[in-house]
Amino acid sequence: MQGKVLGARGEPVPNVMISDGQTITRTGFDGTFSLTPTGPFVFLTRPAGFTAAPWFVPATATDVTFTLVPGETADSGVYRFVHVSDLHVSVDNGTKFYPPGAEIGSQDALSLFLRGLPERAAEVQSVIATGDLTDLGSDAEFDALRRAVDTSTLPVHVLPGNHDHMAGGDEVGFVVSRNNYAINTGEPSGYERNLGPRWFSFDLPGLHVVALDWHTHELGLDDAAQDAWLRADLEEIGPTTPWILLSHDQPWTSILDGLPSDPVATFSGHRHTSRVVRIGRTIHVNTPTPLFAGLDYSPPSYRIVRWDGEQLGLETRAIARTGLERATFAMPAAIHRGTAGGNAAEGGAGGGDASEGDASEGDAVVRWRHQLSGAGHRAPVRVEGDRVIAGVKREDLPSGAVEVLSLRDGSQLWQAELRASTKGTPVTHHGHVIAVEVSGDVVSLDAETGTERWRVPSPDPLRLFAWADPVVADGILIVGDLSHVRALDADTGELRWERTDLCAYQTLVSHSNPLVLGDTLILANFPAPIGIAGLDLHTGEVTWQLGGNLTDLIGSLWPIGTPLYDQASDTLCVPTPSGLSAIDARDGAGRWQLTTELPFSPATPASVPDGIAAVFAGTDVVLLDRVDGSIRWRTPMESAAELAMASYTRTPQVLFAGPVPVPAEDGSDGSVRLLVSGLDGHIYALDAASGKRLAEVNVGAPVAAPVAVTDELIIAIAVDGVVTAIERNALL
């Protein structure tokens, strides 16, 4: 192939990198190049400040002209782009893989997001989407994707994900890859036919950008070719040029080991999850989708990435009304540090009408408030004696914290900085506060001072996405899930046993906390060939296991939340993508199943004297018969919220956290109240026997975590990281 690169006025442009995806050459002083292609395309590395028309051609072309057109430039030395992932543009709402009620990507939803970016983020100059652009990889979906992208006023850079290689989904199969990933098979010809090269590079001001096809690399279809090209590309730019890597899933050692230089950062998606960690000199950024809620129950969101030529900065924003864009990702501007008293309605998130006994207007029902040094989410605080323990997540930095507060007035007793966010509730043991960082590191802190006592490094910080709470039983600390579970000595951190062979590695985070019943450890996972299993607590030996096959994600037992153990019926009630499944706690035999209107609700139900209480469809609280799962009563909240958190939805829900049963203040008759957190900012109290709404308190921001209850206080952590201590008698 002979060709040339010209500027907008027809002048030759020298020293531009040209590649066929295998070898790399550069244009001469006259702007010409010569290449014998071995790959399907020939493309140029677009220089900083330029786009190209075209930027790639088929390898069969003979006389080629690439024309550079002035494009993206740095504003005052700073360049900003939006990172998104997993758009899942569908022409039929993805009915093949999702339960009724799911809301995934579409041409209209993507176009609306892209057209709104100049208003949402006026400072950004381009968009990068790291794969799963379509849901099933059909030509019709690629056409819908192109039509949506064409409405964008910003340049949009795309690369493939595993769903983009499903070729319409009719022949898709599931395999365990060469690196033990459970993943679908792939046929990349559809992506190439519709969008072009699957790996390539381009330059932003002061920053080289490399995009790979993670899925085919993982399947072993072209890993050698991609590796060879990547190394050649990096050798061309030299070891001192800063660069970032774009990959659909978090790149592993199979991609990163042995490179000529380390990337400043990697950007990925796939897991529909938000995680930022630093490993060595590289920040690894995993971003959810802007079109529906994530599998980590983050709201639809995106990241603004800032590069100033030396440092990279992140700002994560939700698709939400003004004032809530940063609520689940960073602490708000208004800081509360152990603030005593005050009206709980201040700064309210809005919501429904006050019910009987409403305490949300005018009454001083709040004893204190405290703003954590980061955001909150689904993990409740833990109360131990006179202390309140909270984990802190920070989505814009590779850091997190554990904070310990005074139960009396909310003042901070100590704060321990961590190397990454902690998204589970820390556990206590013999003077230790133990937290798990999202990279899988386990950290023990002195309960009095916060000083680090011991740290057990993650066995795989690149691939472990650790969200589950640590659990201590009989001196054994359990961390992890079915794909990688460790039993540590809770006093020393010494490894007791470890299992990595129970199922193939999962690329989706597990939100099911370990559950211990006597000497049995119950672990649940989504998705996995094993859905739920019982292990011997002391040895890790499997005593029973249940699950479906990888082709039946909805019909099988796929736990997405922590099971409830109901002692009255000796039953495990397991949240699944389509509802609840009740199984025998001893052998896993099925009892009953309930399908709900809201898919992917991870809330753990609660056991009360008259049945099983659960949040239902994101709007109602229900009481289920513990024998057959039939509904005994159903109470709607009749309120409005602003955040969508249930996976594969973009319609906001009011209820998300599971109910907390508490004996009534005058509980001599055995009466029980249910405390239910609301994404409308309210904490509701219901009578567990009848479902009658008794009282509510507005804490001022959405609450996605269950409350903690003491003799005098009810303690809620809102998504903005504000911890509020409510007088118990205001609700009970």
Side-chain angles (χ1 to χ4, degrees):
M1 176 188 292
Q2 304 295 318
K4 55 184 175 290
V5 178
L6 303 178
R9 297 187 301 273
E11 73 279 13
V13 182
N15 206 36
V16 176
M17 292 169 58
I18 308 291
S19 178
D20 62 351
Q22 306 291 309
T23 59
I24 297 173
T25 187
R26 287 182 181 267
T27 57
F29 288 109
D30 58 357
T32 64
F33 68 90
S34 178
L35 189 67
T36 301
T38 56
F41 301 100
V42 171
F43 55 87
L44 82 164
T45 296
R46 288 155 281 178
F50 292 91
T51 183
W55 69 272
F56 70 90
V57 295
T60 54
T62 54
D63 190 10
V64 176
T65 299
F66 293 113
T67 301
L68 297 182
V69 179
E72 311 158 37
T73 60
D75 180 15
S76 302
V78 176
Y79 187 89
R80 296 175 178 86
F81 65 86
V82 163
H83 178 224
V84 296
S85 197
D86 298 85
L87 307 174
H88 287 269
V89 171
S90 171
V91 295
D92 59 3
N93 204 41
T95 54
K96 185 177 180 69
F97 291 109
Y98 310 98
E103 300 170 294
I104 62 169
S106 67
Q107 177 182 330
D108 290 344
L110 177 57
S111 179
L112 183 65
F113 169 71
L114 293 173
R115 287 186 287 112
L117 276 177
E119 181 177 353
R120 291 182 185 276
E123 67 275 29
V124 303
Q125 291 145 292
S126 64
V127 179
I128 292 176
T130 50
D132 279 4
L133 313 169
T134 65
D135 193 54
L136 297 177
S138 68
D139 288 341
E141 289 178 340
F142 280 117
D143 183 63
L145 172 75
R146 282 192 299 268
R147 291 174 183 271
V149 169
D150 285 345
T151 67
S152 175
T153 60
L154 298 172
V156 180
H157 303 279
V158 299
L159 57 143
N162 56 297
H163 276 252
D164 299 315
H165 296 332
M166 284 186 171
D170 292 333
E171 302 297 328
V172 66
F174 288 85
V175 296
V176 176
S177 77
R178 62 199 177 94
N179 293 318
N180 200 38
Y181 278 77
I183 195 69
N184 62 275
T185 55
E187 170 48 63
S189 61
Y191 185 94
E192 293 181 339
R193 182 173 63 252
N194 284 280
L195 296 180
R198 295 181 288 115
W199 58 88
F200 52 89
S201 63
F202 59 95
D203 288 323
L204 299 176
L207 187 67
H208 187 63
V209 182
V210 177
L212 294 182
D213 187 340
W214 168 85
H215 186 220
T216 57
H217 191 286
E218 183 59 35
L219 290 176
L221 299 181
D222 48 31
D223 54 304
Q226 291 198 61
D227 287 343
W229 173 82
L230 173 60
R231 281 157 179 76
D233 182 272
L234 296 178
E235 287 168 358
E236 278 290 328
I237 66 171
T240 62
T241 301
W243 66 284
I244 60 174
L245 177 62
L246 312 179
S247 171
H248 177 54
D249 190 22
Q250 165 65 53
W252 195 48
T253 56
S254 56
I255 291 175
L256 295 173
D257 278 1
L259 296 178
S261 60
D262 294 328
V264 173
T266 72
F267 291 89
S268 61
H270 181 56
R271 303 165 190 251
H272 300 198
T273 294
S274 177
R275 186 186 82 144
V276 180
V277 299
R278 179 185 292 277
I279 300 171
R281 289 177 290 185
T282 302
I283 294 175
H284 299 275
V285 182
N286 195 261
T287 299
T289 170
L291 302 186
F292 48 86
L295 285 163
D296 62 348
Y297 309 108
S298 55
S301 50
Y302 61 97
R303 279 194 170 94
I304 296 175
V305 184
R306 179 183 183 274
W307 172 252
D308 65 5
E310 295 183 357
Q311 292 186 331
L312 182 142
L314 303 173
E315 183 177 333
T316 315
R317 299 181 183 178
I319 306 296
R321 70 173 173 87
T322 301
L324 288 180
E325 303 100 330
R326 303 273 288 146
T328 62
F329 301 113
M331 60 183 178
I335 305 299
H336 304 271
R337 296 290 189 191
T339 305
N343 184 352
E346 290 177 8
D353 297 332
S355 65
E356 179 183 343
D358 174 45
S360 65
E361 295 295 340
D363 296 334
V365 299
V366 171
R367 182 174 297 185
W368 54 258
R369 291 181 178 176
H370 174 86
Q371 170 67 64
L372 299 174
S373 59
H377 195 49
R378 297 189 58 241
V381 299
R382 185 181 303 279
V383 177
E384 289 286 342
D386 60 355
R387 299 186 171 202
V388 178
I389 303 168
V392 174
K393 70 167 192 167
R394 298 172 186 153
E395 304 291 13
D396 297 341
L397 296 167
S399 70
V402 172
E403 293 192 37
V404 173
L405 315 177
S406 164
L407 178 63
R408 180 181 61 83
D409 61 9
S411 59
Q412 185 185 90
L413 300 178
W414 55 259
Q415 176 177 318
E417 289 294 307
L418 301 181
R419 300 174 188 175
S421 291
T422 178
K423 298 194 179 182
T425 302
V427 68
T428 61
H429 176 74
H430 291 176
H432 299 243
V433 174
I434 304 172
V436 178
E437 297 173 350
V438 291
S439 61
D441 276 21
V442 183
V443 185
S444 175
L445 307 167
D446 185 279
E448 293 299 319
T449 65
T451 304
E452 186 173 305
R453 284 186 166 186
W454 51 257
R455 174 181 288 266
V456 178
S458 170
D460 192 351
L462 286 171
R463 293 205 304 184
L464 286 189
F465 279 51
W467 261 241
D469 294 354
V471 171
V472 173
D474 199 17
I476 299 173
L477 173 68
I478 301 296
V479 294
D481 54 38
L482 272 171
S483 65
H484 198 142
V485 58
R486 289 180 289 166
L488 308 176
D489 186 289
D491 289 304
T492 66
E494 180 182 358
L495 182 67
R496 293 278 193 93
W497 55 262
E498 182 177 29
R499 295 295 299 267
T500 61
D501 59 339
L502 298 174
C503 66
Y505 173 75
Q506 304 299 302
T507 56
L508 303 181
V509 298
S510 175
H511 289 266
S512 179
N513 298 327
L515 181 65
V516 177
L517 299 179
D519 290 330
T520 299
L521 167 66
I522 296 173
L523 296 174
N525 220 49
F526 166 79
I530 301 173
I532 188 166
L535 285 69
D536 185 283
L537 173 65
H538 296 90
T539 67
E541 180 183 355
V542 177
T543 57
W544 58 267
Q545 62 188 49
L546 292 173
N549 63 64
L550 281 169
T551 62
D552 185 15
L553 294 180
I554 303 305
S556 298
L557 179 63
W558 297 104
I560 62 167
T562 304
L564 162 75
Y565 174 60
D566 178 45
Q567 187 174 13
S569 60
D570 202 24
T571 298
L572 291 173
C573 295
V574 186
T576 69
S578 57
L580 286 173
S581 290
I583 63 174
D584 189 285
R586 304 303 161 184
D587 59 14
R591 296 281 183 88
W592 48 263
Q593 287 186 321
L594 175 69
T595 300
T596 68
E597 292 100 331
L598 180 71
F600 290 92
S601 177
T604 301
S607 178
V608 297
D610 295 318
I612 305 296
V615 297
F616 193 79
T619 59
D620 302 350
V621 184
V622 299
L623 184 70
L624 307 175
D625 188 287
R626 57 175 28 98
V627 175
D628 60 12
S630 59
I631 297 176
R632 303 188 65 175
W633 55 253
R634 180 170 180 166
T635 301
M637 290 297 101
E638 299 174 342
S639 184
E642 301 290 343
L643 292 176
M645 287 190 176
S647 305
Y648 300 107
T649 68
R650 55 178 166 268
T651 300
Q653 306 90 31
V654 176
L655 302 180
F656 200 63
V660 176
V662 184
E665 282 297 283
D666 182 13
S668 57
D669 58 353
S671 58
V672 172
R673 302 288 184 259
L674 292 172
L675 298 180
V676 182
S677 305
L679 293 180
D680 59 355
H682 289 227
I683 308 298
Y684 295 94
L686 285 73
D687 178 73
S690 66
K692 181 181 179 182
R693 285 173 55 177
L694 302 174
E696 63 188 70
V697 168
N698 181 1
V699 300
V703 181
V707 297
V709 182
T710 74
D711 290 342
E712 297 182 359
L713 298 173
I714 295 164
I715 303 176
I717 178 171
V719 297
D720 59 2
V722 174
V723 181
T724 301
I726 304 164
E727 299 289 352
R728 180 177 170 131
N729 58 17
L731 287 168
L732 299 176

